[in-house]
Amino acid sequence: MFNSELRLLNAYLYKDFIAITTTVQHKTGQSASCRYFDCNQQEIPNSTWQSSFFPLNTVYCVRRAGAKYVSISYQDGGFYAKPPVPLIFRAFDEPIHELGMCVGPFYGPEKRWLTLIEFVEHMRIYDVSMFYFTIFDIDGYSRLAMDEYERQGLAETTVIQTEYEQLDWMFHLIQLHDCFHRSRSHSKWVINADIDERFVMLQPDQTLIQLLRSQNENVGELNFQARRIQKTQSSPEKFTNLLDAIENLEALKFKKTAKTRIWESSKSIYRPEKVAVQTYHHTHLQYPGVIVKNIPRDVAMFRHYRVTTVSNSIGNGWIYGDNFTDTGLEPELEKLLISLSLFSIVPLIILCGKKGSKNKTLSKNQGNPAPVVPPPQSDAPKSVEPAAPQEAPKTGEDSKAEKPNNEMSINAAFEMNKGEKSTTASVFV
């Protein structure tokens, strides 16, 4: 990765400087030259500015009048990375979002479409209004879900392409640094977590937003401990039916829980403009006068779902022993998560259609998908359109007597979703 070909990711324009992120990782301090281009991508004469990498894959540059695109080179007059990238505006007077989320990169063979939907809907309950995604490798279903969230204005996406066939966690810092700059000035507070980590508040009388607003102005980072949840199966590769999708939501399916060692796998919520360097689990360097606080585990924490095949360990040696307990979400939070996740799965059905069917085509206007699914074949699960319920869900003994079909599950979800979204839900631990 340190000898990778120089490729540009993004360039962010702030009030006082420009930050350019790349796919190559160099030692801090290695020299680089900032190159500036006009709206026609023609280099501005005599505008080169000497800088360096800080840290690893980021180059800071001064602002230049008339610059619309930028690039970098290792020498003042030498080869520069092509094509130059457009400047992304981040010179806001005030952040657009109060709470955003930098999501760890997607890589590996596991299909993440259902995990992605559950993750986004879970964090939206806690008032996250912008998700910053980074893609190394992604399956088609997951990309459809991500594109839909981006269309709704809930997400921004960076795609990382390199000369390597396969990327792993060692490229994680590229994602961290790019997302750090993408979220800076755009979100006031940013949660740094992976897709298998879910934040939960444990105090029913306090929301996450209230916790953040109560912090003094010099607080730049809050650290939260984690509990590991044993995940013994991978997520489903394809959609089969709504009931199967709901039953495979990780919060419902996996509850075997163990504590981590104190702060061993903590994650943070931080203010980007108060931080100089970000790393995997927490900030590495803050600006002078900025303090970091640790939040007690009985106030809030992360639930971390980790795949393991070892009977007495969760997370590659991070957890030792077999002192496990079963924990789950508080019932009202669980119902809300089911409802929100279900209504995010329905557009996937509309877009994808039946597996292997001739109807598996994408609408040319993805922002306005067809409201009705074509009649299914006899061997396919019955699809439904997301319309108002025709009948109330069964309750009491009748609901226990027979397993509800897909239509009844959708109706039940509509009923659960009629009330206002609550952000005061807690979990049992």
Side-chain angles (χ1 to χ4, degrees), residues 92-229:
F92 301 108
D93 291 330
E94 296 290 337
I96 305 301
H97 301 275
E98 186 166 9
L99 180 60
M101 189 158 198
C102 279
V103 186
F106 287 70
Y107 57 83
E110 184 177 2
K111 304 299 186 289
R112 300 298 187 98
W113 64 275
L114 183 58
T115 303
L116 168 64
I117 291 172
E118 179 182 356
F119 171 85
V120 170
E121 299 306 327
H122 180 111
M123 297 311 304
R124 288 180 68 188
I125 294 173
Y126 288 97
D127 292 312
V128 174
S129 58
M130 174 55 64
F131 296 84
Y132 306 98
F133 290 112
T134 302
I135 299 174
F136 289 169
D137 186 19
I138 193 170
D139 61 279
Y141 266 35
S142 298
R143 189 58 197 255
L144 282 171
M146 191 176 294
D147 287 347
E148 177 61 20
Y149 284 127
E150 194 163 10
R151 186 191 68 82
Q152 295 175 22
L154 294 169
E156 291 186 2
T157 303
T158 294
V159 179
I160 296 181
Q161 298 178 343
T162 73
E163 65 270 36
Y164 298 101
E165 289 187 8
Q166 187 174 7
L167 302 180
D168 58 20
W169 70 271
M170 291 297 292
F171 288 81
H172 199 156
L173 284 174
I174 295 178
Q175 174 268 329
L176 280 171
H177 295 151
D178 183 75
C179 192
F180 168 73
H181 290 291
R182 180 179 282 277
S183 62
R184 185 185 183 118
S185 298
H186 197 237
S187 293
K188 181 176 181 179
W189 290 91
V190 175
I191 305 175
N192 172 41
D194 297 330
I195 195 172
D196 57 0
E197 296 167 326
R198 318 286 157 73
F199 180 87
V200 288
M201 289 293 296
L202 305 178
Q203 302 294 329
D205 58 345
Q206 186 180 41
T207 68
L208 174 56
I209 290 295
Q210 290 172 341
L211 175 65
L212 298 178
R213 290 175 179 173
S214 69
Q215 303 304 313
N216 293 331
E217 187 62 25
N218 65 337
V219 175
E221 178 183 13
L222 302 178
N223 281 321
F224 299 84
Q225 296 182 57
R227 279 196 170 186
R228 291 292 173 83
I229 316 297

Side-chain angles (χ1 to χ4, degrees), residues 71-362:
S71 182
I72 63 172
S73 62
Y74 295 131
Q75 298 177 355
D76 288 350
F79 166 83
Y80 63 84
K82 297 180 180 179
V85 291
L87 289 169
I88 298 174
F89 186 83
R90 285 297 188 261
F92 301 108
D93 291 330
E94 296 290 337
I96 305 301
H97 301 275
E98 186 166 9
L99 180 60
M101 189 158 198
C102 279
V103 186
F106 287 70
Y107 57 83
E110 184 177 2
K111 304 299 186 289
R112 300 298 187 98
W113 64 275
L114 183 58
T115 303
L116 168 64
I117 291 172
E118 179 182 356
F119 171 85
V120 170
E121 299 306 327
H122 180 111
M123 297 311 304
R124 288 180 68 188
I125 294 173
Y126 288 97
D127 292 312
V128 174
S129 58
M130 174 55 64
F131 296 84
Y132 306 98
F133 290 112
T134 302
I135 299 174
F136 289 169
D137 186 19
I138 193 170
D139 61 279
Y141 266 35
S142 298
R143 189 58 197 255
L144 282 171
M146 191 176 294
D147 287 347
E148 177 61 20
Y149 284 127
E150 194 163 10
R151 186 191 68 82
Q152 295 175 22
L154 294 169
E156 291 186 2
T157 303
T158 294
V159 179
I160 296 181
Q161 298 178 343
T162 73
E163 65 270 36
Y164 298 101
E165 289 187 8
Q166 187 174 7
L167 302 180
D168 58 20
W169 70 271
M170 291 297 292
F171 288 81
H172 199 156
L173 284 174
I174 295 178
Q175 174 268 329
L176 280 171
H177 295 151
D178 183 75
C179 192
F180 168 73
H181 290 291
R182 180 179 282 277
S183 62
R184 185 185 183 118
S185 298
H186 197 237
S187 293
K188 181 176 181 179
W189 290 91
V190 175
I191 305 175
N192 172 41
D194 297 330
I195 195 172
D196 57 0
E197 296 167 326
R198 318 286 157 73
F199 180 87
V200 288
M201 289 293 296
L202 305 178
Q203 302 294 329
D205 58 345
Q206 186 180 41
T207 68
L208 174 56
I209 290 295
Q210 290 172 341
L211 175 65
L212 298 178
R213 290 175 179 173
S214 69
Q215 303 304 313
N216 293 331
E217 187 62 25
N218 65 337
V219 175
E221 178 183 13
L222 302 178
N223 281 321
F224 299 84
Q225 296 182 57
R227 279 196 170 186
R228 291 292 173 83
I229 316 297
Q230 187 178 38
K231 182 179 175 181
T232 55
Q233 297 176 339
S234 296
S235 300
E237 292 192 0
K238 296 287 186 180
F239 172 84
T240 54
N241 59 70
L242 286 174
L243 286 178
D244 181 71
I246 295 301
E247 290 173 356
N248 276 285
L249 293 178
E250 293 176 347
L252 277 61
K253 190 171 186 178
F254 307 112
K255 299 184 178 182
K256 192 174 183 179
T257 309
K259 289 184 179 181
T260 58
R261 295 171 175 176
I262 299 299
W263 305 115
E264 191 168 31
S265 59
S266 65
K267 282 298 180 79
S268 68
I269 303 178
Y270 64 95
R271 295 185 62 177
E273 78 277 6
K274 295 183 179 294
V275 172
V277 180
Q278 171 73 16
T279 188
Y280 294 108
H281 288 260
H282 49 78
T283 64
H284 180 69
L285 182 65
Q286 305 82 34
Y287 290 115
V290 174
I291 66 173
V292 175
K293 293 178 63 176
N294 294 329
I295 303 301
R297 183 176 278 172
D298 62 350
V299 174
M301 69 174 184
F302 283 90
R303 291 172 64 85
H304 190 177
Y305 296 86
R306 290 294 296 265
V307 176
T308 178
T309 57
V310 182
S311 61
N312 66 343
S313 176
I314 297 181
N316 300 326
W318 286 51
I319 298 297
Y320 300 92
D322 55 359
N323 187 21
F324 301 130
T325 58
D326 286 342
T327 69
L329 301 183
E330 189 270 337
E332 290 303 315
L333 176 59
E334 187 175 280
K335 289 180 182 179
L336 183 57
L337 178 61
I338 293 173
S339 175
L340 295 174
S341 298
L342 188 149
F343 282 99
S344 293
I345 293 170
V346 169
L348 277 183
I349 306 170
I350 297 173
L351 288 170
C352 296
K354 177 195 168 190
K355 176 183 178 183
S357 167
K358 293 181 180 179
N359 296 323
K360 190 176 180 182
T361 58
L362 298 181

Side-chain angles (χ1 to χ4, degrees), residues 388-394 405 408 411-412 415:
Q390 300 300 315
E391 61 177 353
K394 292 185 179 181
N405 59 26
M408 293 168 63
N411 292 338
E415 293 297 321

